[in-house]
Amino acid sequence: MILEDTYKTIEGQSESVYTEKRSKFIAIAIPVRTLAEIKQYLEEYQKKYYDARHVCYAYMLGAERKDFRANDNGEPSGTAGKPILGQINSNELTDILVIVVRYFGGIKLGTSGLIVAYRTAAAQAIAEATVIEKTVDQDVTVAFEYPFMNDVMRIVKEESPEILEQSYDMDCFMRLRIRKSLMPRLRSRLEKVETLRFPEDDVTSL
């Protein structure tokens, strides 16, 4: 059975330089999680390469790979951002931003030349990166009375979710994180513990 709860991203930042007809393409692949991070990196690299002709990019976010964008930054439409995004797609990556900075070398590359150059630059930067596989995780919050602590802890020990938060008072509270495919089993076991409830369910049913 293939578990549809993994995705591929890159471990750390990587960079490569590609030259075509004296035009220099600097490609940077960066692992990202949020739009705010992407905005920050774009500002940083636009400042760093303020004298470059174009700072083009593409990104993909989320395990479902539905949140993406390609930007040509002044290059002819579809010649820069799209080929960069194409490399992200062909490597099946997400949570990634690829920026390609172009310094114009005085010789025009033409539409097809630009597409090949941006695609090659992006491919090289991705090839330099370490691709890793991550699991899609889900969080669950549980509340229960103190006397049932041992029952809950036994399940936690056996199912091995990550404990994100916990507080033990008369009413105990825990926030757990586990791989998506393992969540149904964890929940069904926890449901059997006396007094235990899922506070999020209370809110969603209002």
Side-chain angles (χ1 to χ4, degrees):
M1 179 180 121
I2 297 170
L3 296 171
E4 292 295 320
D5 62 353
T6 61
Y7 62 94
K8 289 197 293 183
T9 187
I10 58 171
E11 191 171 32
Q13 217 161 303
S14 64
E15 202 170 303
S16 85
V17 178
Y18 174 71
T19 310
E20 180 65 33
K21 290 181 182 165
R22 297 212 299 266
S23 269
K24 186 175 165 189
F25 296 85
I26 302 162
I28 308 107
I30 308 163
V32 286
R33 297 298 296 273
T34 63
L35 284 171
E37 266 184 284
I38 289 168
K39 194 166 171 276
Q40 201 179 327
Y41 280 119
L42 288 172
E43 282 172 10
E44 184 187 318
Y45 281 97
Q46 276 155 356
K47 269 187 200 143
K48 186 177 176 180
Y49 296 107
Y50 67 92
D51 55 343
R53 179 70 70 94
H54 304 280
V55 179
C56 309
Y57 67 90
Y59 68 75
M60 176 81 71
L61 284 177
E64 282 86 32
R65 305 181 72 246
K66 286 178 184 161
D67 188 359
F68 57 86
R69 189 170 173 211
N71 186 299
D72 295 314
N73 190 233
E75 291 283 30
S77 180
T79 61
K82 221 170 167 183
I84 299 169
L85 185 62
Q87 288 308 302
I88 293 173
N89 273 324
S90 63
N91 286 280
E92 298 175 341
L93 297 169
T94 190
D95 286 354
I96 184 173
L97 165 68
V98 179
I99 299 169
V100 180
V101 179
R102 180 190 181 195
Y103 282 95
F104 184 53
I107 302 168
K108 289 193 171 179
L109 300 182
T111 309
S112 58
L114 284 172
I115 291 169
V116 169
Y118 278 101
R119 185 172 65 214
T120 307
Q124 282 183 188
I126 290 169
E128 288 291 324
T130 304
V131 174
I132 53 170
E133 195 170 72
K134 287 189 167 184
T135 57
V136 179
D137 298 328
Q138 287 185 332
D139 295 358
V140 64
T141 304
V142 293
F144 52 93
E145 288 174 15
Y146 191 79
F148 301 96
M149 162 80 74
N150 285 346
D151 297 345
V152 173
M153 288 314 287
R154 190 177 67 248
I155 295 167
V156 167
K157 194 169 175 226
E158 287 166 9
E159 299 295 331
S160 305
E162 183 188 345
I163 300 170
L164 301 176
E165 278 180 70
Q166 52 189 343
S167 68
Y168 306 125
D169 216 343
M170 273 313 289
D171 211 16
C172 301
F173 158 90
M174 271 183 144
R175 197 154 68 87
L176 307 169
R177 175 172 290 164
I178 198 165
R179 187 171 173 167
K180 188 180 174 183
S181 56
L182 303 176
M183 180 62 86
R185 190 174 71 183
L186 176 66
R187 275 189 74 118
S188 73
R189 288 194 66 188
L190 288 167
E191 274 164 6
K192 295 183 178 80
V193 176
E194 268 186 81
T195 77
L196 186 137
R197 63 184 203 284
F198 301 102
E200 285 124 337
D201 294 0
D202 301 344
V203 174
T204 50
S205 61
L206 289 176

